[in-house]
Amino acid sequence: MAFPVNRPRRLRKNENLRRLVREARLSVDDLVYPVFVTHGRGVARPVESMPGICNYSIDRLLEELEEVAALNIPAVLPFGVPEAKDELGSGAYAEDGIIQQAVRAIKEAYPGLLVITDICLCEYTSHGHCGVVENGQVLNDPTLDLLARTAVSHARAGADMVAPSDMMDGRVGAIRRALDENGFADVPIMAYSAKYASAFYGPFREAAGSAPQFGDRKAYQMDPANSDEALREVWLDIEEGADIVMVKPALAYMDVIRRVKDDYGYPVAAYNVSGEYSMVKAAAQRGWVDEQRIVMEILTGLKRAGADIIITYHAKDAARWLREGRQ
């Protein structure tokens, strides 16, 4: 056997060499921190299935965001947990809704922090679905007006970006038109373009109280078996005016992230969702995994797959570890 001329290990023998040739680089600039906000004062109610995550009242959320701002995390993604729900999810687009109140408070306290708002009805509907329901069916077109109203109300409250997550056909175009017509042409849209009907959302549904009261969301969220369909969904959202496209969940869909990035070259967000977070936390609490190493490996893997933006409940920990130079 010929003596090897090519020895890849030459470039691995110490940390400085590894740094020089590192391909994917994770930065605090990549991170978005999702938070849950509810009514009341002095509320910091732990989410049992998401260790370290709470439902916050606005006053306590502002305290939580002090650390987020200090860590230089560029953006937050608040989800509302309303006091009351109805068939049409009116709390989503109410001018005094919980998200509208939270956005105003965040922008007043932390004007430099980007606030991205989720545009969906599921947290606000009594049936838990993402649109108008009639005779047990989620209706696409009647839902679009409500989503557009929600987006405009968020922009009016001061949201820097809106993120429709409902997976209704045509919602990006409807929201873009409504924003433009109401003087918010500069508000970008980050579309949940390839959002799968996933089992990884369970802890989020506990936190937001958004589980469907009948059936499931397979008739409008994507089949986990499909990736060609994801490219079609992304293309449609881009055609309708999306500025950023998203793949959700992240871990089981790295191939989709890569395909979207390669095919379109658009900014791509990956949502490292609640179930992915909770699995790591649970295993770490049992001493089965090294939490820091596995989190940083996952987030770096998402960057390697092509994600430009990573929405993750690990954002604060990751930002601290990056600041300390621990990767």
Side-chain angles (χ1 to χ4, degrees):
M1 182 179 292
F3 188 83
V5 175
N6 294 314
R7 290 181 179 266
R9 286 184 55 190
R10 293 184 186 119
L11 300 182
R12 301 176 193 153
K13 70 179 183 178
N14 63 55
E15 179 58 18
N16 281 340
L17 271 172
R18 292 191 292 272
R19 286 173 57 202
L20 281 175
V21 298
R22 188 161 289 149
E23 298 172 28
R25 295 182 183 273
L26 182 69
S27 162
V28 68
D29 298 338
D30 305 320
L31 305 177
V32 176
Y33 185 45
V35 293
F36 297 98
V37 58
T38 190
H39 294 272
R41 287 192 60 81
V43 177
R45 185 169 58 250
V47 179
E48 185 176 353
S49 60
M50 298 179 70
I53 302 299
C54 293
N55 281 347
Y56 292 107
S57 55
I58 291 173
D59 58 319
R60 293 298 299 274
L61 176 62
L62 296 181
E63 294 174 9
E64 169 77 356
L65 296 186
E66 184 176 353
E67 183 181 14
V68 172
L71 288 167
N72 206 30
I73 295 170
V76 293
L77 177 60
F79 293 93
V81 183
E83 287 180 312
K85 305 185 181 196
D86 58 37
E87 285 290 302
L88 296 179
S90 61
Y93 42 89
E95 292 301 318
D96 62 346
I98 185 59
I99 285 295
Q100 290 80 351
Q101 293 181 46
V103 170
R104 294 186 191 103
I106 295 168
K107 294 306 294 185
E108 181 177 356
Y110 305 100
L113 186 63
L114 287 174
V115 179
I116 305 167
T117 57
D118 181 77
I119 306 298
C120 197
L121 304 180
C122 62
E123 293 119 290
Y124 306 92
T125 54
S126 52
H127 47 71
H129 280 284
C130 302
V132 176
V133 170
E134 188 175 297
N135 298 323
Q137 300 295 316
V138 179
L139 304 183
N140 193 95
D141 294 4
T143 300
L144 300 184
D145 178 60
L146 302 184
L147 297 170
R149 288 174 62 185
T150 301
V152 170
S153 74
H154 289 186
R156 192 173 288 128
D160 298 291
M161 185 184 302
V162 297
S165 65
D166 53 283
M167 290 301 286
M168 297 296 118
D169 295 336
R171 89 274 199 210
V172 172
I175 289 169
R176 183 72 273 160
R177 286 190 297 274
L179 290 172
D180 293 353
E181 290 168 0
N182 284 273
F184 299 110
D186 291 336
V187 172
I189 296 174
M190 178 172 69
Y192 288 62
S193 298
K195 180 178 179 180
Y196 286 85
S198 172
F200 284 103
Y201 304 149
F204 176 96
R205 291 176 181 173
E206 177 198 337
S210 62
Q213 298 305 297
F214 67 89
D216 54 40
R217 295 178 180 150
K218 293 179 181 179
Y220 45 101
Q221 293 178 357
M222 282 185 55
D223 187 331
N226 295 353
S227 63
D228 289 344
E229 182 186 9
L231 298 184
R232 296 194 294 272
E233 287 278 11
V234 169
W235 178 80
L236 288 169
D237 284 355
I238 291 171
E239 288 288 296
E240 291 176 21
D243 301 282
I244 299 169
V245 294
M246 186 196 300
V247 177
K248 178 183 179 183
L251 274 180
Y253 300 90
M254 284 192 183
D255 61 316
V256 179
I257 295 169
R258 183 74 265 164
R259 290 190 70 188
V260 169
K261 189 63 178 178
D262 287 346
D263 278 32
Y264 298 112
Y266 257 61
V268 177
Y271 199 143
N272 179 214
V273 298
S274 60
E276 298 167 357
Y277 170 88
S278 295
M279 289 191 302
V280 171
K281 282 290 187 179
Q285 287 180 345
R286 298 295 296 268
W288 292 344
V289 298
D290 181 322
E291 181 176 351
Q292 178 189 315
R293 288 190 63 194
I294 204 166
V295 168
M296 299 306 276
E297 185 173 341
I298 287 168
L299 300 183
T300 300
L302 297 178
K303 283 289 292 182
R304 188 186 68 247
D308 303 288
I309 298 163
I310 301 173
I311 303 163
T312 179
Y313 302 94
H314 296 292
K316 288 198 305 176
D317 287 337
R320 280 194 293 268
W321 295 328
L322 287 164
R323 176 170 288 185
E324 295 163 5
R326 295 189 286 154
Q327 295 190 52

